[in-house]
Amino acid sequence: MTYRTRLPHRTRGPGALVTGGSRGLGLFMARQLAERGCVVTIAARDADELERAAVRLREETGATVHTAVCDVRDRAAVGALVREVHERDGLDLVIANAGVIQVAPVDAVDAAEFADAMDTMFFGALHTSLEALPYLKRTRGRLGLIGSVGGLLGVPHLLPYSCAKAAVGALAEGLHAEAAASGVSVTAVHPGLMRTGSHRQAEFGGDADAEFGWFSTAAGAPLLSMDAERAARRIVDAVIQRRARLVLTAPAKAAQLVHGVAPGLTTRLSGVAARLLPTAQGRGPLRQGAEAGEPRNPVARLVRSWGSARNDRVVDRANQHEPGPRTSS
């Protein structure tokens, strides 16, 4: 396969690091980088999941793929990982993708869920950026931070996620401005809904079965969601091309435009949408999607089955089979 955009080759690389690279979007981006000749390191918290992903990437691309067990919330661990990749492969490109998805009304979550989202997504991206930048300055490298359309406007029942992704977006824009003089590019990526199989790993609270129903339906519905491998290709292109910003999916672009022009109207429309979503049934432990049941309403079950069908089909290729430590979007 011929690609329009590739990294320049170096003696030991080009070396690429993807956090949250063991499944979902992170895995698809790692595959894109491997197919373009990079020596790729994928990092996540689950060693078995990482190894399954690496074996598949090696078989499919023939590339050199390394794995690293790393919790991006731990800056020292991230620093050791980045240093290892730099010394072994050279460090030309880094994508900070590690994340968690919590789907619940605000009445069903507490500050702990917000802290968890911030620790993994914002501080994970911050730790990765701060540790990688000194090495990327030596190679005039590229850094990509994965935000979300959920960070461009507050999404009901995804508030911890939206808050953390908003912070990631601000970080990416600020770093892009400050790092430009050193030759390092920073790309802010804001995907909309993608078919990554993430509905199995996302966590649901309140009426967990009903929350799982609407989220899995929307995440796989035609027109609303995007093929994740196509999204990964466009993201990697944007990072290599040193673009400052990329927003993916037509609905995400439309939401961004409307929110920018009429933020009050967008907020009111979000309020209307929130009334259509399930109501809270008290606080309690969040459950992963693979453990959630089908919606109780037969019509809702039918709609979920139809809407989620495409997303369900990508579960195997996205390495999303078994619930495990939360590492990628």
Side-chain angles (χ1 to χ4, degrees), residues 29-297:
M29 291 188 295
R31 182 179 290 120
Q32 286 289 317
L33 290 164
E35 289 179 342
R36 298 175 198 221
C38 293
V39 177
V40 180
T41 299
I42 53 175
R45 289 191 236 172
D46 187 303
D48 293 337
E49 189 176 80
L50 278 167
E51 190 54 35
R52 287 197 303 270
V55 168
R56 177 169 291 185
L57 289 175
R58 293 173 190 135
E59 291 176 348
E60 292 177 349
T61 68
T64 299
V65 178
H66 301 287
T67 64
V69 176
C70 181
D71 186 342
V72 295
R73 299 173 300 180
D74 182 344
R75 182 174 177 181
V78 174
L81 165 63
V82 171
R83 183 169 58 253
E84 177 185 351
V85 175
H86 165 75
E87 292 174 351
R88 183 186 61 222
D89 308 319
L91 193 64
D92 295 271
L93 185 149
V94 176
I95 298 180
N97 171 71
V100 298
I101 302 175
Q102 302 146 316
V103 186
V106 70
D107 288 343
V109 297
D110 208 338
E113 281 72 36
F114 284 85
D116 188 23
M118 291 295 292
D119 284 346
T120 302
M121 289 183 283
F122 172 66
F123 283 104
L126 177 63
H127 295 159
T128 303
S129 300
L130 294 178
E131 295 298 332
L133 279 171
Y135 301 111
L136 292 174
K137 288 177 181 178
R138 303 180 192 182
T139 59
R140 297 178 66 85
R142 297 154 170 88
L143 174 64
L145 303 186
I146 306 301
S148 169
V149 65
L152 301 178
L153 63 159
V155 180
H157 290 222
L158 282 164
L159 281 183
Y161 180 84
S162 284
C163 290
K165 288 298 191 181
V168 171
L171 174 66
E173 292 183 6
L175 287 179
H176 178 87
E178 293 205 30
S182 66
V184 177
S185 60
V186 183
T187 302
V189 180
H190 298 287
L193 291 168
M194 295 173 294
R195 297 187 287 276
T196 64
S198 62
H199 60 299
R200 292 181 59 86
Q201 302 286 348
E203 295 188 321
F204 299 88
D207 186 345
D209 296 345
E211 297 285 351
F212 173 74
W214 80 259
F215 180 82
S216 60
T217 299
L223 302 181
L224 288 180
S225 64
M226 182 178 188
D227 175 79
E229 295 193 75
R230 179 167 164 258
R233 182 168 59 250
R234 291 190 58 188
I235 291 168
V236 170
D237 277 342
V239 174
I240 293 176
Q241 293 168 0
R242 301 186 184 275
R243 291 180 57 179
R245 182 184 179 94
L246 175 68
V247 179
L248 286 175
T249 78
K253 291 178 180 178
Q256 173 190 226
L257 177 61
V258 174
H259 186 64
V261 173
L265 174 62
T266 308
T267 302
R268 286 193 291 273
L269 290 175
S270 293
V272 173
R275 296 179 186 182
L276 302 177
L277 295 175
T279 56
Q281 295 187 347
R283 288 189 180 136
L286 303 185
R287 286 191 288 155
Q288 286 189 302
E291 302 167 347
E294 293 287 340
R296 292 180 294 278
N297 184 290

